[in-house]
Amino acid sequence: MTTKSRPTRFPVGVVVAAAIALTFMIIWSAVHWSQMAPTIVTREAGGNHGASIVSRGFSAAAMPGTLALTSSLLTISPWVHQKFSSLTGIPLPRYDRSAARVLTAVQAGLGLVMCTAHVFIVDLHTAAGIPAVKLMAMSLGALFVLLGVYFPIAQTDVETNNAWIEAFVVAQRSLSRSVGIALAGVGLATIAVAATSPWRALAIGCGGMVAISVVFLVICLVKANRLHGLKHRHP
């Protein structure tokens, strides 16, 4: 399976999604700034350590800074991806339009989760009593739904003459729709349970994500080995 190399697309969607999330964080901080306590104690002094004190400036900048870092990494990832493959000779999936859509979905989902975390951190200073765990569980559920919707769209194409890698790509493609449905199902279940039991919802979401990833990898490896064996028996 070989493909012609194409210019790497600039991930515009990643930048737009990050800009929307960053704008929300800035506005949220500005609106609640006067209500935020100048400092909060996150850990009382005791034993061999002193009290851990966090300023509202640091809290207001924590998630925006994290968002800026992750979005920057996602933005340059196509070029890093391409450069690593060309320098090492290791065949990697080609970054194309479908990969760009998946990156945008990941950034949008992460942005939602980080916005929720930002609301929670600001609430530590305002003590407004926002149900942060419930919101966090719901935002994680929304991230899983987004991944479920976009995962089947990510059609992996690898420039390689390695028969086993070709077999692995075929196996991954054959399972992509099922994995997408499973991810979306876990996301919807997480959102539904979060309304009554946020901690249980987090357990369902994180546990489901890990289980789907492990099962997907194992089945892909088994199918790839079987397809590779069949191809060698019947060239």
Side-chain angles (χ1 to χ4, degrees):
M1 181 186 305
T2 57
T3 59
K4 295 180 180 178
S5 61
R6 299 178 183 176
T8 301
R9 295 174 178 273
F10 181 78
V12 177
V14 171
V15 177
V16 172
I20 293 172
L22 186 60
T23 301
F24 170 82
M25 291 181 188
I26 293 173
I27 292 174
W28 188 268
S29 296
V31 169
H32 294 85
W33 184 260
S34 61
Q35 305 166 31
M36 293 173 68
T39 59
I40 57 171
V41 178
T42 58
R43 185 180 65 173
E44 297 290 345
N48 296 323
H49 63 79
S52 177
I53 300 174
V54 180
S55 68
R56 64 179 173 181
F58 179 84
S59 294
M63 279 300 107
T66 304
L67 174 65
L69 176 62
T70 55
S71 60
S72 297
L73 291 175
L74 284 176
T75 300
I76 66 172
S77 63
W79 287 275
V80 174
H81 178 101
Q82 186 182 58
K83 195 67 176 176
F84 178 82
S85 182
S86 63
L87 288 175
T88 62
I90 297 175
L92 293 173
R94 178 169 54 83
Y95 181 83
D96 54 13
R97 182 172 296 177
S98 63
R101 290 173 180 170
V102 173
L103 267 188
T104 300
V106 170
Q107 179 60 71
L110 287 176
L112 180 60
V113 172
M114 289 182 189
C115 283
T116 305
H118 183 69
V119 169
F120 166 68
I121 292 173
V122 171
D123 184 62
L124 293 176
H125 288 263
T126 62
I130 293 174
V133 179
K134 180 185 292 187
L135 292 175
M136 183 62 70
M138 288 183 171
S139 64
L140 279 175
L143 171 60
F144 296 154
V145 171
L146 273 173
L147 292 177
V149 170
Y150 280 91
F151 188 83
I153 298 174
Q155 296 297 318
T156 305
D157 200 359
V158 180
E159 299 180 1
T160 180
N161 292 316
N162 186 295
W164 190 90
I165 293 178
E166 287 187 7
F168 185 85
V169 171
V170 171
Q172 178 262 317
R173 283 180 171 174
S174 69
L175 294 170
S176 62
R177 186 176 296 274
S178 298
V179 172
I181 292 172
L183 284 171
V186 168
L188 291 173
T190 301
I191 293 171
V193 175
T196 56
S197 181
W199 287 109
R200 183 176 298 174
L202 286 173
I204 290 172
C206 296
M209 187 68 167
V210 172
I212 290 171
S213 301
V214 171
V215 171
F216 172 63
L217 178 59
V218 170
I219 295 177
C220 276
L221 290 172
V222 171
K223 291 189 72 171
N225 283 325
R226 188 176 65 192
L227 290 170
H228 185 249
L230 289 173
K231 188 172 182 179
H232 274 272
R233 285 194 214 105
H234 307 287

